[in-house]
Amino acid sequence: MAKSPTHYVCQACGSCFPKWSGKCEGCHSWNSLVEEATVDSFKKKTTAKAQKIEFSSLEGISPPLPRLLTGIEEFDRVCGGGLVPGSVLLVGGDPGIGKSTLLLQVAAVISEKTSCAYISGEEAADQVRLRAKRLHIASSPVNLATTTHIGDILKSLHQGAQVAIIDSIQTMYVDALDAAPGSVSQVRASAHELIRFAKKYGVTILIVGHVTKEGVIAGPRVLEHMVDTVLYFEGERGHHFRILRSVKNRFGPTDEIGVFEMTDKGLQEVSNPSALFLPHRTEDVTGSCVFAGIEGTRPLLVEIQSLIAPSSLATPRRAVVGWDSGRLSMILAVLEARCGLLCGNRDVFLNVAGGLRISEPAADLAVAAALLSCIANTPLPKDAVFFGEIGLSGEIRPVSQQEARLKEASKLGFKTAFIPKPTKPFSMPELTLIPLAHVAELANYLDAKPKPQRAYGGQA
Ligand code: TYD
Ligand code: MG
């Protein structure tokens, strides 16, 4: 039977089906199947006879990877120490977060060292020039082009570009496919062509990818496994701070972050982020606490704020910015069950200052401290930092890189640290260490007492 020239591709997960249906069997999303041509432009001719491959041992001396340093330190560190020739990086992020700005700035510094092409499929050349002028980089020798055709791009890159920036993959298309740019198969096919080119000619390609509202690049994670490095550019809209985070890196560590500030002259590096995320308060306030965290390889101190207020709602609000809401529920449940502190009919708000997102469980103790400070209506010591993971029985567990956290705290002038009870003797002369084994000890320290609760329905 002749193969059908079209098939149906789920735009959310990339699964293919011969027939249309309302629901994707792969990811169970509705109305996501779109008809696309099955022409597989990448099917290699398999007529060549198979050959025996040579196996080699793991031992051997490999030369260190050559790296191209951009000079933007925050960017280089997130990339694992510079760009590796022939590697492909994906820079994902919400529309408008600053991806084009960052990469244009990167292009400008690279172009001073080697040939660099910036290919925009989204903006007209004039728009890019205008931005370059605003960033004061208009005089740098970047090769600018505006096109969306992958074939044209690859042909032009042949002429000797060492680094190419493609902004964005969602606007690119290859001829062999009938599907619209931005569809899963076009995104995948375009990326595949670019990756093949990068590997064959040793060109470093940086691909911009918009994140969909579900938070994944181009719908499915199709691109993430294809490229060498995946960087996410994040930040809260209302804040100036932007975090470049590596989530996958074949040539370096992951979970590294670079901190930038969006100014009217583009993105500026922030080399001492702790100073930025710390409170600038003049008097003691309740519910504010400093967490000594680790982001990638770097210690980072951030302020965690909480507010507990009587609720007028039947189901009180739990609003979290910058942290996991499930984790907040867990901490509240632990405080309730293990310390008898009920927040059942009160609204709870939690905020990580500065627009940072924290995913470390080590922040548990800092969150609990902020909440307890609100409950007890007692400000926490201004010169104290907190870190530690809280278990369901209320026990406080040790976390990694204790020393680095404490050193950063001491460097920034903190005098006290509330830490998990160490398993072996441990000293840090610059700081007064307060080891805690259970969250109830912290509640006692702050003199947090159960408050009389209002019955549901609003009556005291
Ligand atoms: P942009 O790089 O276009 O975002 P993306 O490519 O991720 O869609 O960033 C656009 C935003 O950045 C826009 O809202 C304006 C702001 N911006 C500044 O605040 N300062 C600047 O110098 C530039 C160039 C942009
Ligand atoms: Mg853009």
Side-chain angles (χ1 to χ4, degrees):
M1 203 176 77
K3 204 177 162 206
S4 161
T6 63
H7 60 177
Y8 295 85
V9 182
C10 173
Q11 301 297 300
C13 72
S15 308
C16 302
F17 303 95
K19 279 191 181 160
W20 187 86
S21 67
K23 186 179 177 184
C24 168
E25 291 297 323
C27 66
H28 305 295
S29 54
W30 288 91
N31 258 339
S32 59
L33 298 197
V34 171
E35 186 174 12
E36 288 179 6
T38 50
V39 186
D40 188 352
S41 61
F42 316 109
K43 213 179 254 174
K44 289 258 183 69
K45 291 193 183 84
T46 47
T47 45
K49 238 175 123 197
Q51 287 179 352
K52 222 167 133 188
I53 49 168
E54 288 289 327
F55 291 98
S56 62
S57 77
L58 291 175
E59 245 181 344
I61 303 153
S62 315
L65 285 170
R67 301 254 186 188
L68 175 65
L69 288 170
T70 63
I72 302 178
E73 265 176 42
E74 296 289 298
F75 182 82
D76 287 339
R77 203 190 44 254
V78 175
C79 296
L83 298 171
V84 177
S87 67
V88 179
L89 289 90
L90 178 66
V91 180
D94 291 333
I97 204 73
K99 301 181 292 298
S100 305
T101 308
L102 175 70
L103 291 183
L104 192 59
Q105 287 182 246
V106 168
V109 283
I110 291 179
S111 67
E112 303 287 350
K113 299 178 179 176
T114 179
S115 91
C116 175
Y118 183 94
I119 293 142
S120 175
E122 289 191 346
E123 290 161 303
D126 280 342
Q127 269 176 294
V128 181
R129 278 191 208 110
L130 207 68
R131 174 175 299 164
K133 206 168 158 190
R134 186 173 164 181
L135 300 172
H136 302 298
I137 50 173
S139 58
S140 46
V142 177
N143 297 313
L144 172 68
T146 51
T147 177
T148 54
H149 186 224
I150 288 288
D152 292 352
I153 295 173
L154 297 186
K155 190 148 189 203
S156 319
L157 291 184
H158 251 305
Q159 291 157 6
Q162 282 306 302
V163 179
I165 292 165
I166 309 291
D167 187 5
S168 69
I169 193 72
Q170 272 95 349
T171 56
M172 299 292 153
Y173 73 96
V174 293
D175 282 335
L177 287 179
D178 241 355
S183 64
V184 169
S185 42
Q186 276 295 8
V187 165
R188 190 161 29 192
S190 304
H192 190 101
E193 290 280 284
L194 289 168
I195 292 165
R196 272 205 319 167
F197 182 87
K199 301 287 164 208
K200 195 164 171 193
Y201 298 103
V203 176
T204 307
I205 300 188
L206 294 110
I207 300 175
V208 173
H210 290 295
V211 169
T212 62
K213 59 180 185 302
E214 286 82 30
V216 283
I217 295 173
R221 307 192 87 103
V222 279
L223 291 185
E224 291 199 359
H225 74 267
M226 293 163 79
V227 298
D228 299 307
T229 302
V230 180
L231 310 178
Y232 276 98
F233 204 37
E234 328 168 319
E236 292 287 327
R237 279 287 161 114
H239 284 110
H240 295 286
F241 310 119
R242 301 283 181 267
I243 314 279
L244 186 67
R245 191 185 291 275
S246 85
V247 291
K248 166 186 169 178
N249 195 349
R250 288 186 182 147
F251 305 112
T254 51
D255 280 332
E256 192 66 78
I257 67 163
V259 184
F260 295 89
E261 185 178 0
M262 180 63 101
T263 67
D264 58 346
K265 291 184 198 67
L267 292 155
Q268 309 280 339
E269 293 181 72
V270 177
S271 42
N272 183 11
S274 288
L276 194 89
F277 294 115
L278 282 181
H280 300 285
R281 54 182 186 223
T282 46
E283 53 192 89
D284 287 342
V285 282
T286 57
S288 160
C289 165
V290 176
F291 164 53
I294 296 277
E295 286 289 345
T297 52
R298 230 180 1 176
L300 181 65
L301 302 194
V302 290
E303 182 189 7
I304 292 181
Q305 304 168 330
S306 85
L307 177 68
I308 300 184
S311 179
S312 55
L313 302 169
T315 313
R317 243 178 263 141
R318 301 278 181 263
V320 191
V321 180
W323 207 49
D324 180 34
S325 58
R327 200 98 196 156
L328 173 68
S329 305
M330 190 200 94
I331 302 289
L332 286 171
V334 169
L335 293 182
E336 194 168 319
R338 309 293 174 195
C339 309
L341 300 164
L342 301 175
C343 294
N345 54 7
R346 288 189 266 172
D347 288 334
V348 179
F349 302 92
L350 192 84
N351 178 32
V352 177
L356 192 72
R357 256 207 84 75
I358 298 179
S359 50
E360 260 194 301
D364 289 354
L365 186 63
V367 169
L371 294 170
L372 285 170
S373 154
C374 268
I375 293 170
N377 203 15
T378 312
L380 293 163
K382 233 184 349 194
D383 62 353
V385 296
F386 295 76
F387 62 85
E389 184 180 345
I390 297 180
L392 287 182
S393 60
E395 85 278 13
I396 296 169
R397 300 174 178 200
V399 294
S400 63
Q401 305 195 47
Q402 209 155 258
E403 219 162 304
R405 295 170 200 266
L406 293 173
K407 273 203 181 123
E408 178 80 356
S410 138
K411 204 170 88 190
L412 285 156
F414 287 86
K415 299 272 177 280
T416 317
F418 290 76
I419 60 169
K421 198 164 198 167
T423 39
K424 47 182 189 250
F426 176 80
S427 80
M428 190 90 183
E430 308 94 89
L431 290 167
T432 310
L433 301 179
I434 304 185
L436 300 169
H438 196 276
V439 70
E441 293 170 21
L442 185 61
N444 285 340
Y445 180 89
L446 290 170
D447 204 19
K449 300 233 167 57
K451 292 244 161 76
Q453 292 289 296
R454 279 191 306 164
Y456 286 105
Q459 295 302 306

